[in-house]
Amino acid sequence: MPTNKDLVALDAEAVRASVDVVARATAGDLAGPTPCAGWTLRDLLGHMTAQHHGFAAASRGEGDIAVWRPRPLGDDPVGAYREAAQHVLEAFAVDGVTERAFPLPEIRDGGPFPGAQAVGFHFIDYVVHSWDVARTLGHTVTFDPELLDVALAVARAVPGGEARRGPGAAFAPAVTADGGSRLDEIVAILGRSPAWRPVPAQGPSCAVLGDSGVPVTHSVPRGPRAG
């Protein structure tokens, strides 16, 4: 696993990739389906935006669940997302952030969690959500091999088996990604089909929560599940 300093840098790389991918969205894309079953692109952007605000607040020791709830994105969802991404990048750039305790009210008992683990939650989330948005728009997203090595290790640490089949399971069961890219392998481990294309259909859950002792990501809000 990377050092704490490296993990913050990797998280920033994933967030910036997500900003670049989201910037390709047009107003006409917002009502389209995503790999997150039951969510349009607008829904997914609302979730991603709220999570940035939630993690930024947690880095300051704030644990109000209301901060994590999606809010209206207004007439410029792309701009709202960009501002939220910048907010969390600035919050995580503070010296010593990985040594802080993060209250994360959406995860297990709410914590607090070690800062390095919390940043890891956020990191894997935005690797995967960058893929979600890119695939929704019919584009691709590319990450450095070193980033994907870390993301793959995190994805492999997420518990599988029956824990993914019960009511409220955090992840759908892993799917096969034979012969695919490293990113395909990562999303497949987390229950997404690398073959997904933007056509109206039901897919696996998009929740991004693990219960291991290594950095994984967080739960999605109640309601429509992501894919």
Side-chain angles (χ1 to χ4, degrees), residues 139-213:
H139 295 300
T140 59
V141 61
T142 303
F143 294 105
D144 289 339
E146 293 81 4
L147 182 149
L148 292 176
D149 286 343
V150 175
L152 181 60
V154 172
R156 285 174 170 166
V158 176
E162 291 303 312
R164 298 199 187 186
R165 298 182 183 278
F171 285 100
V175 300
T176 301
D178 292 340
S181 69
R182 180 63 59 87
L183 184 55
D184 286 345
E185 185 177 0
I186 291 165
V187 302
I189 289 171
L190 298 181
R192 292 153 167 81
S193 171
W196 188 92
R197 294 294 183 271
V199 294
Q202 291 296 314
S205 170
C206 190
V208 278
L209 170 66
D211 198 23
S212 67

Side-chain angles (χ1 to χ4, degrees), residues 31 46 59 145:
S59 76

Side-chain angles (χ1 to χ4, degrees), residues 15 18-19 22-23 25 30 41-54 69-89 126:
V15 171
S18 75
V19 171
V22 169
L30 296 175
L41 181 57
R42 181 182 284 273
D43 296 329
L44 178 56
L45 292 181
H47 164 74
M48 293 166 65
T49 299
Q51 295 293 316
H52 284 323
H53 285 294
R69 295 180 182 136
R71 63 200 74 184
L73 298 178
D75 295 332
D76 185 12
V78 172
Y81 179 74
R82 185 187 307 113
E83 290 178 6
Q86 185 61 33
H87 181 55
V88 79
L89 287 174
Y126 285 88

